[in-house]
Amino acid sequence: MSDLAKSLRRHWQLYLLVLPPMIYILLFKYYPMAGVQIAFKDYNVVRGIWGSEWVGLEHFQSFIRNPNFWLLIKNTLGISLYQLAVGFPAPIVLALALNEIRNGLFKKSVQMVTYAPYFISTVIMVSIIIVNLSPNVGIVSKLFVLLGLEPVDFMGIPSAFKSIYVWSDVWQHTGYGAIIYLAALASVNPELYEAAKVDGASRFRKILHVDIPALVPVTVVLLVLNVGNLMKLGFEKVYLMQNPLNLSSSEVISTYVYKVGLLAADFSFSAAVGLFNSVINLMLLLIVNYAARKLSGNSLW
């Protein structure tokens, strides 16, 4: 009897437990991947995926030759890198600050206030942004008027779009994102803090030499995952914040695919652009994971 047969006979309960999620993954994750071939075909609904004409890289070439290609890449990467530079360290800073609070009631109050925005839906979040930045009824505009300044339509300024998108995202997700880092800090051996106190280390030195090294493994993993999704900018929030005035800064790959690929029923084109995005993200993930493993010894694999 082979080793596999012996293992199946001995641990059949465990294999039976694993079977349902494996079937789910195969049916709903791997089997649909066969549909990615429409990116290389002139997909026709009547003919179906297998009967449609093969056109090779035609849709990819069409996307790259598009006059808006570099604008889409610039906007997508610009917002993503801005979000990574500002939004990634924000939860770390908040977690370090919360970890230093000794007053339990105040700490819980801060946590509740910072976590709450995460549970606001995207539609409501964009509505809050639009209303507060409105030149007619917005709080910001009313403050400008009180200061003797003219009200400003921030949502109509292309150069302001990235900042509005990123900083509202930071406000909404920083508190919830800090949970992971707080969990990592909670696992730090208390003896390290005691040793640092005996050595006369200040609070800043404790953070620098005890807290931050404890956060390095989880920080590296999350950084790799974030960079791996650099081209996968969220569609809903960008699309809801768009208007004809800020379109030059707000049109990203995902919104362009929706308008040109899906609304115009060009499914092959939208699949090609989606596959292009996925390949770029995979390459970024592999490169950053390799660099993280070489530089810090921590990585996804």
Side-chain angles (χ1 to χ4, degrees), residues 161-194:
F161 180 85
K162 292 183 177 65
S163 295
I164 295 171
Y165 179 92
V166 170
W167 287 103
S168 62
D169 206 66
V170 169
W171 175 76
Q172 186 176 13
H173 294 98
T174 295
Y176 191 82
I179 294 175
I180 299 174
Y181 300 104
L182 283 171
L185 291 172
S187 64
V188 177
N189 191 340
E191 293 180 0
L192 294 176
Y193 291 113
E194 294 174 5

Side-chain angles (χ1 to χ4, degrees), residues 1-252:
M1 186 179 291
S2 65
D3 293 338
L4 178 60
K6 290 179 180 178
S7 179
L8 287 171
R9 185 174 181 179
R10 184 176 182 182
H11 305 292
W12 66 269
Q13 300 95 334
L14 298 177
Y15 286 105
L16 188 63
L17 191 66
V18 172
L19 187 60
M22 286 296 297
I23 293 174
Y24 170 81
I25 291 173
L26 290 173
L27 286 178
F28 296 100
K29 301 295 181 181
Y30 280 89
Y31 178 70
M33 288 174 64
V36 78
Q37 63 181 294
I38 69 173
F40 304 94
K41 293 188 172 186
D42 185 11
Y43 177 67
N44 184 288
V45 178
V46 177
R47 294 180 180 179
I49 296 177
W50 303 102
S52 298
E53 182 184 355
W54 184 272
V55 295
L57 301 176
E58 180 180 319
H59 298 298
F60 296 91
Q61 294 171 352
S62 176
F63 176 58
I64 294 173
R65 289 196 299 262
N66 191 292
N68 294 319
F69 174 76
W70 289 112
L71 177 66
L72 296 172
I73 297 294
K74 175 187 173 184
N75 289 341
T76 303
L77 284 178
I79 296 175
S80 295
L81 290 172
Y82 190 176
Q83 190 173 31
L84 184 66
V86 176
F88 185 77
I92 301 175
V93 174
L94 178 61
L96 291 171
L98 288 173
N99 192 57
E100 292 298 312
I101 298 176
R102 298 293 173 258
N103 187 312
L105 179 61
F106 180 69
K107 182 176 182 178
K108 291 179 180 178
S109 299
V110 172
Q111 286 177 314
M112 182 185 68
V113 171
T114 55
Y115 294 171
Y118 177 80
F119 300 98
I120 301 174
S121 69
T122 303
V123 175
I124 301 299
M125 183 65 202
V126 174
S127 299
I128 292 173
I129 294 171
I130 293 174
V131 170
N132 281 286
L133 296 180
S134 169
N136 299 318
V137 297
I139 296 175
V140 178
S141 293
K142 290 186 179 298
L143 180 60
F144 274 36
V145 172
L146 289 174
L147 296 174
L149 302 173
E150 291 292 327
V152 179
D153 183 10
F154 289 98
M155 295 301 294
I157 303 175
S159 59
F161 180 85
K162 292 183 177 65
S163 295
I164 295 171
Y165 179 92
V166 170
W167 287 103
S168 62
D169 206 66
V170 169
W171 175 76
Q172 186 176 13
H173 294 98
T174 295
Y176 191 82
I179 294 175
I180 299 174
Y181 300 104
L182 283 171
L185 291 172
S187 64
V188 177
N189 191 340
E191 293 180 0
L192 294 176
Y193 291 113
E194 294 174 5
K197 186 176 181 180
V198 170
D199 291 340
S202 63
R203 181 170 289 187
F204 177 75
R205 288 288 183 182
K206 290 178 185 177
I207 294 174
L208 193 62
H209 297 290
V210 178
D211 292 339
I212 292 180
L215 293 178
V216 168
V218 66
T219 301
V220 170
V221 171
L222 291 176
L223 180 61
V224 171
L225 291 173
N226 274 269
V227 174
N229 286 318
L230 204 61
M231 296 288 288
K232 192 179 179 181
L233 190 63
F235 161 78
E236 296 89 352
K237 187 176 178 181
V238 176
Y239 184 71
L240 291 171
M241 289 177 63
Q242 278 186 354
N243 61 56
L245 296 176
N246 63 27
L247 202 59
S248 61
S249 293
S250 62
E251 189 76 295
V252 296

